[in-house]
Amino acid sequence: MLTELSNVLYKKFKVSWQSIRDVLDELQKSFYIYTNNNLTIKEATKIAEIHHYSCYDSLIITSALTYNCQYLFTEDLYYSHNIQNKLEIVNPFKQ
């Protein structure tokens, strides 16, 4: 997710790379940063196979499932889709 954040900040908002590094440093001080591992990647391939999400999106979903998140807020994935009866994908911009 930090890679996506960096990409969006740079491409969409034209934020300097130094400012992006500052944002990443602040996030790392304030939050636990999950790192994908071999198991995460294998689980993500199962999500991709079953639900037809991209590998990248499946990694995000798998990370959320790993930490028992109930909701994943995004505008990019299927709205109101439930994964494994554990994680609901919610588009915060739709009613």
Side-chain angles (χ1 to χ4, degrees), residues 8-62:
V8 169
L9 288 174
Y10 183 74
K11 287 189 173 183
K12 282 191 175 182
F13 298 103
K14 310 299 183 209
V15 175
S16 72
W17 287 114
Q18 181 58 55
S19 294
I20 292 169
R21 286 190 294 274
D22 293 342
V23 167
L24 295 175
D25 286 343
E26 188 62 34
L27 286 171
Q28 290 172 333
K29 290 176 192 172
S30 302
F31 300 99
Y32 175 77
I33 305 299
Y34 180 79
T35 303
N36 293 317
N37 57 40
N38 193 36
L39 180 60
T40 308
I41 295 167
K42 286 182 181 179
E43 289 300 314
T45 64
K46 293 176 187 175
I47 296 290
E49 180 178 30
I50 294 166
H51 298 286
H52 307 288
Y53 285 117
S54 71
C55 188
Y56 182 76
D57 290 339
S58 297
L59 279 170
I60 293 169
I61 291 167
T62 302

